[in-house]
Every structure is written in structure tokens, then in C-alpha cells.
Amino acid sequence: MGVLSTPAAGAGFGDPDELVHGRPRKAWHRDRLAAQRYLLRLIEESGVDCDLQAGAVLLAPTKSNYQKLANTVEARNALYGTSDYAIAADALEAEAGGNASDLFAGALVLGDTHHVQPAKMITGLATLARKHGATICERTDVVGLQKCREGTRVRTNGGDVVAQNVLLTTGGYTREFARFLWNRTLGVPSIVAASEELPREGVAEMFPTGRVLLVNQVRGFSCRPSPDGSRLILAGPLAQTPRSPDVDVQALKGYFKRLFPEVASMEFTHCWTGMIAATRDAQGHSGAHNGTWYSVGASGLVSCADAGRRMAQNILHEDATAAVADKKFSRWPLRNSEHLLWRGISLSTRLSDLIGRSRLR
Ligand SMILES: Cc1cc2nc3c(=O)[nH]c(=O)nc-3n(C[C@H](O)[C@H](O)[C@H](O)COP(=O)(O)OP(=O)(O)OC[C@H]3O[C@@H](n4cnc5c(N)ncnc54)[C@H](O)[C@@H]3O)c2cc1C
């Protein structure tokens, strides 16, 4: 989808001093903003035009959620140097068309959140990495790792390579040869679909300012216009095993037609999915196991770029304190019976949707 996630992603918008996963929320926010600045710097350095646009609108589904966002916005702006502001339901039409004013209690306009065309951004970052000496072997699968005198022999379907340091960042695609990681990660599908070309005036009515719309629910759904303003792009983590594009599109349409009723009769010409690495505590984990570095589960484009930067520093500085397995990185139960594990996840997802309105971010 290309949203360079909100500063709150994963930490919520509540009291900045409240502890979240053992740290004050403001520490997470500061990290997130620093990580975002890092990625924006990389994009700038790459010189790529990736249709970078600023601004996101976080839609609040309940009055209490809106009040919480609105009551804390000034304090957050003062703490983090942001310029966010709240708008009530009756002013929502300036930011979101369709039924937004009826469905949502208000919104937070996040001026410092950006969105990009992700494929162009990745192309730019890959070019930058090559410029700095990296070799990228596309469509080459690592199939095994073997310790050897010089370090690790990395076996691939394109031949072997011996490396002093190996960093596994295989995310939601981790395979069984990396048993430690495989036991602790699970690929959860996320789905994006793009509509047929639409009259630009219609798209502009849905998104009067062109900002991406994010729904502040336990499972975050988002939508935005394509960079040229001719299509509608919908995204959602449907937390189900991947199915056919038609079924995926119907699921997204089912969710978004309440906001934009015209979605029901729209054709969707593109739909794509990918796997996001789910960890048991929904946190990113990094460290080393049996001499192989790993970093997985950092949620979103901003966090994973920053996780990469931190791991590179640890490796370059031979940081022995970082070269240990993360003790909080728990195994998934039933990892060998994926079918049962998925049923459990599907049930808990449905449950969290039911009680989700009281557990907004
Ligand atoms: C459809 C979709 C939309 C998304 N939209 C957004 C968004 O709008 N904003 C946002 O912040 N995040 C978004 N995300 C999430 C974001 O893409 C991920 O959080 C991020 O890509 C994770 O980065 P990563 O490097 O940890 O893993 P990945 O990006 O999954 O990278 C893992 C890589 O490892 C490779 N790999 C795996 N196994 C092997 C092997 N054996 N040999 C060689 N290579 C291997 C894979 O091919 C892949 O390239 C979206 C994800 C999806 C799927």
C-alpha cells in the first residue's frame, strides 16, 4: 500500500507516559519518528521519484476514541514536534467523502505521515544499495545454511556463497531450514486491490485532499487514491489464509462499501497479497542464533528499514551484546500443525473484531 506508518503504529495514541510493552509510549513514538526520518533520508538520497505524498487521516470509529485522539494531540505535538490536528465528524467531509461523517466520530490529520508508490521506493532503495556496493541476486532462494571454517556456507539454488556474517530477514516467508525463526514466525497475508480507472472527479470527491485514509481499529484497513488520482486502492490485513484474488477483492469490497457505497459496483483490475511475519507478541525481534543474525517481525516499511540499519550497525561493530537470541522471542504453539494454528488465529481475529471497538489503538 505504501503508507509510511503513523508514528503511533503499534504503540497507540494514549498517555505518552503510559507503559507499552515495558517502555513509555513516548519512547516508541520517538523511535518511530526517528525511523521515519531515516527512511525519508534514504529515499531522498536514492533520488528516486516514488510519488511521495505527505498526510494521512486516521479515522476514529467511536466517540471515546475520537476524544482520546483529540485530547492528547497538543501534548503529542509538543513532545514530538509534529503538527497533527483533530477534526470532528461534522468537518470530516473536508478529508473523506462517502459516508465518512456518518460512520466515524472524527479523525486525526497526521501531517507527518507519508505515503509512496512502494514498488518505485524499493527500486530506488535497491539502486542506492547497489551504489554502495551491494549485490542483489533476485529470484535466488537460500535453501540451507552450513557452518564452516570461514563462517557460514549459504546454499542457494544459484550456487553456494561463503559469508563471514549472515543476516536472515526472511519475514513471513521464513522456511523450515531456518528452524529457530520458522518456529517463531508465521506468514499472515495482507491484501491490496486497485480499482479500474475511474472518473478523476469521483476519486477526488472520495479523497478531497488526496491524503490516505486509515481506520483506527485493531486490524487496520486503509484506502487512498492512486498517485495519478485515477484509481481507488484498498488494503486490509484480512488475517486469513490467502485465497483467490476474486475472493480477496470481495472481502475488501465488503469492508469498504459501507464507507464508499459505489465500491460495490466497481471493477477491481489488480489485486495482490504478500505475507507479513507475525510474531506471538506482534513485536519485531532481532539477535543471533547459532552464529546467524536475524531480524524479523518489525511491523511496516518504516520499522523494517530501521531494523535493517540497526542490524547493520551491530554486525559492523561486532556488537557481542546484540549477538544473542532474544529471550522474549517466543515460539508459536502448534507450529507443526499449521492448520490448527490457523484455526486458532482465525478465531482470535474474529473475537478481536467483536471486542475491537473497545480496544482501539
Ligand atoms: C500487500 C501488503 C501491503 C502492505 N502495505 C504496507 C503499508 O502500506 N505500509 C507499511 O508500513 N507496511 C505495509 N506492509 C507491510 C510491509 O511490507 C512489511 O512490514 C515489510 O515489508 C517487512 O519487511 P521485511 O524486510 O521484514 O520482510 P519482507 O519485506 O517480507 O522481506 C522478506 C524477503 O525475504 C525474501 N526471502 C524469504 N525467504 C527467502 C529465501 N529462502 N531465500 C531468499 N530470499 C528469501 C523474500 O522474498 C522477501 O523479499 C504491507 C505488506 C503487504 C504484504
Side-chain angles (χ1 to χ4, degrees), residues 1-5 32 118 122 137 140-144 168-175 177 188-192 222 224 235-236 272-277 295-305:
M1 182 74 168
V3 182
L4 304 187
S5 4
R32 178 64 63 139
I122 297 295
C137 303
T140 305
D141 287 355
V142 175
V143 293
L168 285 175
T169 59
T170 42
Y173 303 94
T174 301
R175 295 203 215 133
F177 75 80
V188 177
S190 191
I191 300 167
V192 181
S222 54
R224 67 173 174 109
W272 59 100
T273 61
M275 294 297 191
I276 295 184
S295 178
V296 291
S299 160
L301 301 167
V302 166
S303 301
C304 69

Side-chain angles (χ1 to χ4, degrees), residues 197-243:
E197 284 203 32
L198 303 165
R200 278 162 212 253
E201 315 79 67
V203 177
E205 272 172 30
M206 294 176 189
F207 304 92
T209 58
R211 299 191 222 266
V212 61
L213 304 181
L214 311 166
V215 182
N216 190 28
Q217 277 175 326
V218 176
R219 291 196 290 156
F221 287 81
S222 54
C223 57
R224 67 173 174 109
S226 60
D228 67 356
S230 71
R231 294 172 194 265
L232 169 65
I233 304 180
L234 308 177
L238 295 172
Q240 294 143 345
T241 42
R243 296 172 301 177

